[in-house]
Structure formats: structure tokens, C-alpha cells
Amino acid sequence: DVARDASRPLRPQHDGARIGHEFWIDPTTVGYHGDGDGRGFFGTIDVETGERIERPSPHGTGGHYGHYHVAPDRRAIVTDGEVTPDAISIAPLDDGELDFRPICRHNWARDQDQRHHPHPHWHRSGRYITFTGCERRQDGTVHTFPCLLELPSDHLEFTDRQ
């Protein structure tokens, strides 16, 4: 509430969980990711009711921490980390554990430069994912460029073929 200079946590973190990279999924639902109890997870919370769902990731907190975004039809999620530090990966977003599958490389120089994150985002059609790609040059500099990944009409085909 800007008028009262007030804010409140959407999700308590007194249980030792660490969360971040929040984003709006729809007018009442916020998505986020984090880790707790040695496992990674993706969560959603309804800001009006407080209802919260957290789906575990088998890839845990092994240093491939990524940024997430939900497909417009809410059937899948994309990340620039989790499975591998240099790939865009997607997973079906159902009631079970997240099963991410790499679909392309972004080559972010994670160990070299924290300023350039891929930050994948789905187009509202669900047909494209945009992200920032990186190229390490021989002189040690990092060149970044916008990327457009076109998905098949049913983006979950990727998870079935992998």
C-alpha cells in the first residue's frame, strides 16, 4: 500500500525457506521459487485468499538456481537454471514433482558475470519464449543478445520427447 507506506510478506519464511523472483501469473496469483529443507520448489500464492501451493523440484538447491515463468495456459513452467546452469528448461506444471527438461542453451556466464541473467518469459500466445543469450568471447568479455525460441503448438511435446 503506497499511500500508507506499508507492505507485507506474501509467504512467511520463518520455516527456513528462502524465496525470491516473484512474478504475477494472473490478477490474483503470484509465482515464486525457492528452497527449504534441502529441496528446491516452485510456489504460487493467491494474494486474496492466501492459498499457497508449492511443488518440489528433484533438482534441489544444487547451485543451478534459476528464474521461472509460467506458460499462459498454466500447463508448464520455464526456468534458466535448476537442471543445468546453461540451459532453458521446461516442466509440466501439474500436481506432482517438477520434472524439468532442457530444451536449448543460453550459455549465461554465471561464474563470470552476474549482470546478465537469461530471465525466460513466455509470450502470451504460449508459442514463444524469449530470453537473454550470452556468448563468451576470447578476450574474456561477455556479449549478450535477445533470443526468441519458437515452441511447437503444444509446448508439452518437448517433455514427452526428452
Side-chain angles (χ1 to χ4, degrees), residues 73 75 122 125-127 150-158:
D73 64 8
R75 292 176 49 211
W122 244 291
S125 70
R127 190 69 196 260
E150 185 173 0
L151 301 172
S153 57
D154 179 356
H155 55 268
L156 293 183
E157 288 177 23
F158 273 123

Side-chain angles (χ1 to χ4, degrees), residues 4 11 26 36 46 56 75 109 129 141 146 156:
R4 293 183 291 180
R11 185 214 188 273
D26 62 38
D46 185 304
R75 292 176 49 211
I129 295 173
T141 60
L156 293 183

Side-chain angles (χ1 to χ4, degrees), residues 70-81:
V70 174
D73 64 8
R74 298 178 79 160
R75 292 176 49 211
I77 189 166
V78 63
T79 184
D80 57 11

Side-chain angles (χ1 to χ4, degrees), residues 59-68 79-86 110:
H59 307 288
T61 59
H64 302 313
Y65 199 67
H67 305 91
Y68 287 41
T79 184
D80 57 11
E82 284 292 317
V83 179
T84 178
D86 65 347
R110 182 182 302 254

Side-chain angles (χ1 to χ4, degrees), residues 16-81:
R18 299 178 302 167
I19 65 167
H21 299 116
E22 302 83 359
F23 61 94
W24 289 100
I25 296 173
D26 62 38
T28 63
T29 309
V30 171
Y32 57 91
H33 68 99
D35 60 64
D37 296 326
R39 293 195 66 151
F41 61 83
F42 169 69
T44 57
I45 189 164
D46 185 304
V47 297
E48 293 179 352
T49 67
E51 180 183 352
R52 182 175 82 208
I53 300 170
E54 292 180 346
R55 294 163 181 87
S57 171
H59 307 288
T61 59
H64 302 313
Y65 199 67
H67 305 91
Y68 287 41
H69 200 248
V70 174
D73 64 8
R74 298 178 79 160
R75 292 176 49 211
I77 189 166
V78 63
T79 184
D80 57 11

